[in-house]
């Protein structure tokens, strides 16, 4: 009985429960697109995007392995549901504030997001990378004016 109480206390103290761990596993960065929020007056440097394309990212319970831009030894995962205005750390909402004609839902749809709400995995890591899940086998993250697409392996 005491052991069951300990397990229950540990499970309740974790921000992400086992049922929500669909994101764990190996993911391959399959493509990089210039982000819609990037300044159109200057093309972002594509050296990083070329280097990251084709790389594998492994999201594990105890850490994220992969290129240094996403690697993390002590993640503090938090899974949440986000609308289009919150994707990519609020980039679409920021675009709308600058230009009221911008529709965050349409911007999200251009990147493959269907519907009106998606799972976002906060990593709690120093790099502040967040993974946004188009579906259970496709994720995206934003970095330095690029959107990276990952496919589950």
């Amino acid at each position: 009985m005491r052991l069951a109480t300990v397990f229950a206390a540990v499970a309740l103290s974790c921000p992400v429960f086992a049922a929500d761990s669909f994101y764990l596993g190996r993911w391959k960065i399959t493509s990089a697109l210039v982000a819609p929020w990037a300044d159109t007056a200057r093309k972002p440097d594509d050296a990083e995007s070329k280097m990251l394309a084709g790389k594998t990212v492994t999201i594990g319970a105890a850490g994220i392995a992969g290129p240094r831009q996403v690697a993390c030894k002590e993640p503090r995962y938090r899974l949440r549901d986000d609308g289009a205005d919150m994707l990519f750390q609020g980039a679409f909402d920021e675009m709308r504030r600058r230009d009221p004609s911008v529709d965050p839902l349409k911007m999200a749809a251009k990147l493959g997001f269907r519907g009106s709400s998606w799972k976002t995995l906060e990593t709690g890591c120093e790099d502040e990378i967040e993974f946004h899940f188009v579906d259970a086998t496709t994720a995206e993250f934003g970095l330095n004016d690029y959107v990276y697409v990952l496919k589950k392996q």
Side-chain angles (χ1 to χ4, degrees):
M1 182 68 156
R2 181 173 227 183
L3 189 57
T5 304
V6 170
F7 283 133
V10 169
L12 291 174
S13 69
C14 295
V16 177
F17 300 99
D20 293 325
S21 60
F22 68 92
Y23 54 84
L24 294 176
R26 290 178 36 131
W27 297 79
K28 184 176 184 177
I29 300 173
T30 58
S31 61
L33 314 160
V34 174
W37 57 83
D39 183 353
T40 55
R42 62 175 183 85
K43 184 182 183 295
D45 182 10
D46 64 355
E48 183 175 56
S49 66
K50 287 179 179 179
M51 190 272 298
L52 289 174
K55 298 288 192 253
T56 299
V57 175
T58 301
I59 302 175
I64 302 171
R68 68 172 171 72
Q69 292 88 336
V70 297
C72 177
K73 292 183 186 213
E74 296 179 10
R76 294 172 309 285
Y77 295 132
R78 180 172 167 248
L79 198 59
R80 65 177 198 258
D81 289 312
D82 279 346
D85 60 332
M86 293 301 295
L87 293 175
F88 304 103
Q89 299 176 333
F92 296 150
D93 190 48
E94 186 177 316
M95 291 172 69
R96 177 181 53 196
R97 281 186 265 132
R98 284 186 302 218
D99 179 356
S101 69
V102 171
D103 181 345
L105 210 50
K106 287 181 181 176
M107 299 305 295
K110 287 180 181 179
L111 292 175
F113 293 90
R114 302 290 177 253
S116 60
S117 180
W118 305 273
K119 296 287 184 198
T120 291
L121 179 66
E122 288 181 32
T123 63
C125 299
E126 189 175 309
D127 59 20
E128 299 182 356
I129 295 288
E130 294 181 344
F131 295 97
H132 307 286
F133 295 89
V134 173
D135 55 45
T137 62
T138 308
E140 298 181 6
F141 69 92
L143 179 65
N144 298 329
D145 288 335
Y146 277 89
V147 173
Y148 294 89
V149 179
L150 300 98
K151 293 288 188 178
K152 194 155 193 182
Q153 301 299 290

